[in-house]
Amino acid sequence: MKVIEKRLLRGPNLYAETPCLMAVVDNLNTKGRGFGARLLAMMPELPAAAAVRLSDDALPVDALEPVIMELQRLAGAPGAQGATLAVTGYEQRRRIVCGYGVEQVASEALRTGVKLLTALTHDEPFNLDAAVAALREIASEHAIGTSTGAVLDAAHRRGIPSRRLTDDANLFQLGWGSRQKRLQATITGATNSIAVSIASDKHLTKTLLAQAGVPVPRGEVVTTIAAAQRVARRLGCAVVVKPLDANQGKGVTVDCATPDSVERAFEHARLHGRRVIVEQYLRGRDYRVLVTGGRIAAASWRRPPGVTGDGHSTIRALVERENSNPARGDGHTNILTKIPLDALALETLASQGYELDTVLTAGIGADLRGNANLSTGGTAEDVTDLLPEETRDICIRAARTIGLDIAGIDIICDDIALPLRDQRGGVIEVNAAPGIRMHQYPSRGAPRDAGDAIVQALFGADDGRIPVVAVTGTNGKTTTSLLIEHVVRLAGLRTGVTTTSGVYLDGQLAYEGDCTGYHSARSVLGSPEVDFAVLETARGGILKRGLAYDRCDVAVVLNVSADHLGLDGIDTIDDLARVKAVVAARATRAVVLNAEDALCVKMADTLADGVEIIYFALDAEDPVLVPHIEHGGRGIYLQDSTIVLAGGMRHEALLDVREMPVSLGGRARYNIANAMAAAAALMASGFSNRDIAAGLRGFVSDSKHNPLRSNLYDVDGVTVVVDYAHNCAAYAALAEMARAMTAGRLVGVVAAPGDRRDADLIDIGRTCAAGFDELVVYDSEARGPPNGESARIIARGARLAKIAPDHLQIEHDVHCAIRLGLARCVPGDVLVFGCGSSISELTEALRPTRPDLANKIEAAAI
């Protein structure tokens, strides 16, 4: 087998609503009679549906998808459903689609699955255990911590979007744009760095708490053994010895009652910090209270790790048995942590008179730690409902005194149900970034949704989302997106917009290039300065990475016409419509559809209940638009030269299209349609007619604000139109507009991207021959090196349309082609330069003869 292509689709996509791996795999005529039986013997838990596929004459590639899914499950990172799809034109090639939980595991599972099936088809050995162990290691390396996962789950339930900011960091963004929050474990973007610094200094914490009236144990900071022993004598009681700034119970020794035990404890603490605290040992139980946003979220009684005898097993065997519990794992990846058998465990056992080989009497327990941290194997019991009001107030005051929005308050007392001061209990620590496993998954008692409490503290009732309008279609996406953005920005909101020319933040270019895919949309949604996002969403981005958003408020589908066919498994216009429909399906408020495009209209049948459909049409009598409005739906149409907003019996004039610069005096009907789609999206987003009209009047489609979108220049009396047009529909619309601009001749300097099929290039030639009086065909450098073949095929299409031989010329160099086109013009003519990749192509063509004009055009674009 050979993997021809692999893509990780990180958002909603053509195949699924959730992330999935898509791979195109060729079977390479491999046969493996009997491989199915060997596979089922190796993987007996494969789904029954997969087993049915594995007949003696089955192709190994048909087993790949269920094998990948099973490998992910065995690795502990299962994915959602998978699928195996045929690839048109290839009998033994398959498109494999596998949902995933961890994309790095899915990628490796693909490689492993190919190796496994290759070995089985050749009846060769394959070490499945080793392969699964490697996958588990990858899963563990990229796993999200239990506490972080609980917060993310809570955010998901509330509809708050989240994403990992890098593949490696445990840093997450909750929400979008200006309403986002950041999270790392249980530290948030609102957590005060000074407060974290205070909490990491246990002595400073105690000092501030004491000043605030919070009961704390007496103690001092020392740096030598002698000083530690001197403080212990002065306190006159058993002491706790611990590092000043460690966490998770590292280096802590309790109940030190002799100089020797203080010395040993000091040496142990020094392994984790230069300065050491010696403080009064408060006897009692160990409790943790979680405070979030000034409220008590949960409380737990933490028990030290220990085992209970059965009368015949050693302590070592009892610990190994407990550590085999699936709930226990290494670090923080599981509900509980494995109990370590280290020097401190041996010392703790020795203080009770035990060794690892001691056989405990049935029912007798032995502790393996003096502290009860979950990170060292402890367990927890929920006691939230037992907290007295006084203790609640003390914990909230402690968090507020230190300055933490989320804090873990450690308390020692005999009984948490009794007032703290009455039993001489006290607060021994205040923790920043407190673990919440103990509250989410207590060993005893009711679980508390600490993750949700943190989300509540961050967002309240808000969902963290900014308004998002997604724009897709074959032609007009950039202009429509910029029109929407312009209106929103004039209304006073900070905007982010993605387009084929770049990413703009509040009107300023942030990134230049074709920015219509996953990463560009993600950058806008991740920008804290964006209040409203407009995301041009192109076919390529959907197919390569999926959408960067789980849903949008409003989706706009402008049109669907033949373009990019034969690429990425999209062979027909219906296939292309299914790709565009991915965007429409993610809208939650409204979908704006072109009533004059049958493929757009068809999408209305697939939308979720409650999503409004708003149609737009240049024809006021359109047979789809009219009944939609008559039945109470909203729509936009053109009446003579006026854009009209309609809903039921109410029809309101918005503006005369000739007032919009983008309409080129009403001649650019495609831009009128784009403006109507923009107005519909803005209407659905709640903007007033006044704001919409003002914004449409103020938008100028020139080389600075909307490059390569019908930009007009005067070259010695010849009107030059520069446009990105690169398909039949775009060239036909440009020719119609340009024809309305002149009584003279219309000259086209045309090309198409180098990845188009021959049939598409011929159609472009036919269309251009029908629309223009004269043609100069050149080679575009877009999507492939120019080799002259594309230009020759376009010219062949033009000849098939019976263009006069002397009205057609091939000039492979773009600059020469523009000069040749201009040479065929006289003042009053119009030259259309299509498939342009930059304004510099025009300026460099003009520079040899008109350097002054070239400089002027360049200056206007800055």
Side-chain angles (χ1 to χ4, degrees), residues 460-666:
D462 189 26
D463 64 4
R465 294 176 182 267
I466 60 172
V468 173
V469 175
V471 180
T472 193
T474 302
N475 295 313
K477 298 184 295 296
T478 295
T479 298
T480 303
S481 298
L482 290 175
L483 281 165
I484 296 170
E485 184 274 341
H486 184 73
V487 173
V488 173
R489 183 158 43 87
L490 287 186
L493 295 175
R494 296 173 297 173
T495 56
V497 59
T498 63
T499 72
T500 51
S501 58
V503 172
Y504 297 83
L505 299 178
D506 210 23
Q508 300 300 312
L509 180 65
Y511 311 100
E512 191 170 8
D514 188 346
C515 298
T516 57
Y518 175 88
H519 293 289
S520 302
R522 187 172 147 125
S523 71
V524 166
L525 296 175
S527 173
E529 57 192 323
V530 173
D531 303 320
F532 194 110
V534 185
L535 305 176
E536 179 181 343
T537 308
R539 170 210 64 92
I542 298 171
L543 292 172
K544 290 174 183 175
R545 276 287 182 264
L547 301 181
Y549 44 92
D550 59 337
R551 63 180 194 249
C552 56
D553 295 275
V554 179
V556 180
V557 188
L558 296 168
N559 42 61
V560 183
S561 60
D563 197 15
H564 301 279
L565 299 182
L567 302 172
D568 303 308
I570 306 304
D571 301 312
T572 68
I573 195 166
D574 287 326
D575 291 339
L576 185 59
R578 288 194 301 112
V579 177
K580 307 295 185 184
V582 171
V583 177
R586 307 322 300 170
T588 58
R589 179 182 296 179
V591 175
V592 176
L593 296 174
N594 185 343
E596 297 173 304
D597 188 309
L599 291 170
C600 288
V601 173
K602 190 176 179 180
M603 294 179 194
D605 297 332
T606 65
L607 303 179
D609 292 341
V611 176
E612 181 185 12
I613 298 169
I614 303 177
Y615 285 117
F616 69 94
L618 291 168
D619 180 5
E621 302 301 323
D622 179 80
V624 172
L625 176 73
V626 170
H628 176 74
I629 294 174
E630 289 177 346
H631 287 87
R634 292 198 288 178
I636 297 186
Y637 61 88
L638 185 65
Q639 186 71 57
D640 297 325
S641 63
T642 301
I643 293 177
V644 179
L645 310 183
M649 300 298 292
R650 189 179 181 88
H651 294 241
E652 298 178 89
L654 182 66
L655 81 167
D656 189 306
V657 297
R658 291 168 294 191
E659 299 174 29
M660 301 188 304
V662 74
S663 78
L664 302 181

Side-chain angles (χ1 to χ4, degrees), residues 295-377:
R295 298 179 179 180
I296 301 296
S300 295
W301 170 18
R302 300 190 296 181
R303 304 187 184 207
V307 292
T308 301
D310 58 10
H312 56 82
S313 300
T314 65
I315 291 176
R316 186 194 307 275
L318 292 170
V319 171
E320 290 173 353
R321 187 184 306 161
E322 176 59 27
N323 282 343
S324 67
N325 179 352
R328 290 192 182 271
D330 297 317
H332 298 266
T333 57
N334 283 44
I335 295 171
L336 297 172
T337 300
K338 289 182 178 180
I339 302 171
L341 289 179
D342 54 11
L344 188 55
L346 297 178
E347 185 176 336
T348 304
L349 287 173
S351 68
Q352 301 166 78
Y354 302 136
E355 298 177 346
L356 286 177
D357 292 328
T358 299
V359 175
L360 292 174
T361 303
I364 298 299
D367 291 336
L368 288 118
R369 269 294 190 279
N371 62 65
N373 295 69
L374 262 67
S375 57
T376 54

Side-chain angles (χ1 to χ4, degrees), residues 267-284:
E267 295 291 354
H268 179 59
R270 279 294 295 269
L271 296 175
H272 301 276
R274 188 177 65 83
R275 295 188 294 170
V276 174
I277 291 179
V278 179
E279 68 181 19
Q280 175 188 6
Y281 175 47
L282 300 181
R283 296 190 180 276

Side-chain angles (χ1 to χ4, degrees), residues 105-117:
V105 173
S107 291
E108 186 59 33
L110 170 62
R111 287 189 286 269
T112 301
V114 169
K115 291 178 182 178
L116 185 155
L117 289 170

